[in-house]
Amino acid sequence: MAIIVENKESKRKFVLISANFEYSKEIASNRFISFLRDTEEKEFEVICLCDENGEIFFSNASEFRIIEVDGKPINQVL
């Protein structure tokens, strides 16, 4: 099952790999998500994404929206 998300600001599309991460002060020292340290928020949901080049990265879930599931627009899935 492929889930496609879109960045709300840039409109760039990504494949959603996982969405069950949470950023908090306790994990801020983790080198894999250390880029999140500079944010003013103390806790938020983090998603794992893949771009068109296969690069994997983590980002704040609130910056994205689901637009497609298995090739169908989200409004046809619900």
Side-chain angles (χ1 to χ4, degrees):
M1 172 163 62
I3 299 174
I4 308 301
V5 297
E6 178 182 74
N7 181 282
K8 293 175 182 177
E9 210 172 288
S10 72
K11 304 300 182 197
R12 193 168 164 208
K13 295 174 177 62
F14 302 88
V15 175
L16 178 66
I17 296 174
S18 183
N20 54 352
F21 297 101
E22 184 176 294
Y23 169 81
S24 67
K25 282 186 171 183
E26 289 78 37
I27 61 173
S29 61
N30 183 324
R31 66 186 178 97
F32 294 110
I33 58 169
S34 61
F35 68 92
L36 296 172
R37 281 188 189 152
D38 296 332
T39 185
E40 292 179 14
E41 297 178 70
K42 292 191 169 58
E43 282 192 20
F44 56 87
E45 302 252 335
V46 176
I47 55 177
C48 182
L49 304 171
C50 175
D51 68 11
E52 66 275 3
N53 298 313
E55 297 292 324
I56 297 171
F57 64 97
F58 297 93
S59 191
N60 186 334
S62 67
E63 297 174 4
F64 295 85
R65 66 185 188 102
I66 296 174
I67 60 168
E68 189 177 296
V69 176
D70 284 341
K72 294 180 183 177
I74 192 68
N75 63 351
Q76 289 182 10
V77 175
L78 298 176

